[in-house]
Amino acid sequence: MVAAIEGIITHKEPTFIIIKTSSGVSYGVHVSLFCTIKLEKGQKIELFTSPIIKEDTHKLYGFLDKNEQKMFELLLKVNGVGASTALAICSTLDTNSFYQALSLGDESAFIKVPGIGAKSAKRIIVELADKQFKFQNLDDHKSQALAALVSLGFNQAKAISVLAKCDAKETSELIKQALKQLS
């Protein structure tokens, strides 16, 4: 399996780039709009990759952020969500918005994605609702604070929204700030 790819961008489209590796081989890689914005033609980069291999096609999906890759791979586990739809979600919702929408059961966030209707939005939320989510693209301190608040009996969705507003850099301070707001 190709876990990552490093090279120079030789071609760039809104959700597709071509990377030429040092060995001279060029790879076509599908990327999200958030990723494309950060890339420039001629730039040397390394992308985390998720290959999708089917009978009739081999596609490579690339991510600058490991959390976005986890989000993409999580979406692929939902019945009826393929790679194109998962990439559309990654292009519309950043990882914070995605996990917050899941935690809050916010269908409207998913309906904003082109190609996602009310039924698909419900399916995504229902099928991923049983997963234990952390605020995956936040630092360990906020993840630890979230775990502590949930273990104290606070609602996970409320804890996530409160922690998003907290600005402390240490776990103990985050918990104190969150507790003040949750009281």
Side-chain angles (χ1 to χ4, degrees):
M1 177 173 94
V2 179
I5 187 168
E6 183 179 323
I8 297 174
I9 300 171
T10 59
H11 179 79
K12 178 182 165 186
E13 294 178 15
T15 58
F16 183 79
I17 61 172
I18 295 177
I19 298 175
K20 186 171 187 171
T21 63
S22 60
S23 64
V25 178
S26 293
Y27 292 91
V29 183
H30 298 272
V31 295
S32 72
L33 290 173
F34 291 119
C35 187
T36 303
I37 291 169
K38 299 173 186 173
L39 303 175
E40 294 296 327
K41 190 174 175 181
Q43 176 183 2
K44 184 174 182 172
I45 58 156
E46 180 178 11
L47 295 175
F48 300 106
T49 59
S50 294
I52 306 289
I53 300 171
K54 296 184 179 179
E55 288 180 21
D56 59 342
T57 184
H58 293 86
K59 292 186 177 180
L60 200 57
Y61 293 84
F63 308 92
L64 284 169
D65 181 15
K66 192 76 169 160
N67 292 315
E68 186 180 39
Q69 181 185 28
K70 288 177 186 176
M71 177 176 135
F72 175 81
E73 291 174 352
L74 185 67
L75 285 163
L76 292 178
K77 295 177 183 177
V78 175
N79 187 28
V81 174
S84 297
T85 304
L87 192 63
I89 293 170
C90 290
S91 293
T92 306
L93 300 172
D94 63 22
T95 52
N96 270 346
S97 301
F98 172 75
Y99 288 110
Q100 192 163 17
L102 282 179
S103 296
L104 299 173
D106 183 8
E107 292 175 26
S108 63
F110 293 102
I111 293 173
K112 293 176 186 175
V113 178
I116 300 279
K119 285 183 181 180
S120 296
K122 284 180 187 175
R123 187 180 319 114
I124 290 168
I125 291 168
V126 167
E127 289 190 29
L128 298 179
D130 61 341
K131 307 283 184 202
Q132 282 294 327
F133 297 109
K134 296 192 307 182
F135 234 11
Q136 296 212 7
N137 60 336
L138 295 179
D139 59 28
D140 287 336
H141 298 297
K142 285 200 178 181
S143 295
Q144 291 170 1
L146 175 61
L149 292 170
V150 170
S151 70
L152 289 171
F154 289 100
N155 177 290
Q156 183 175 356
K158 284 185 180 178
I160 288 172
S161 64
V162 167
L163 283 172
K165 300 171 190 169
C166 295
D167 59 358
K169 301 294 182 202
E170 294 183 19
T171 306
S172 60
E173 290 300 317
L174 280 169
I175 294 170
K176 287 177 186 176
Q177 282 184 355
L179 286 172
K180 285 179 185 176
Q181 291 182 35
L182 288 167
S183 299

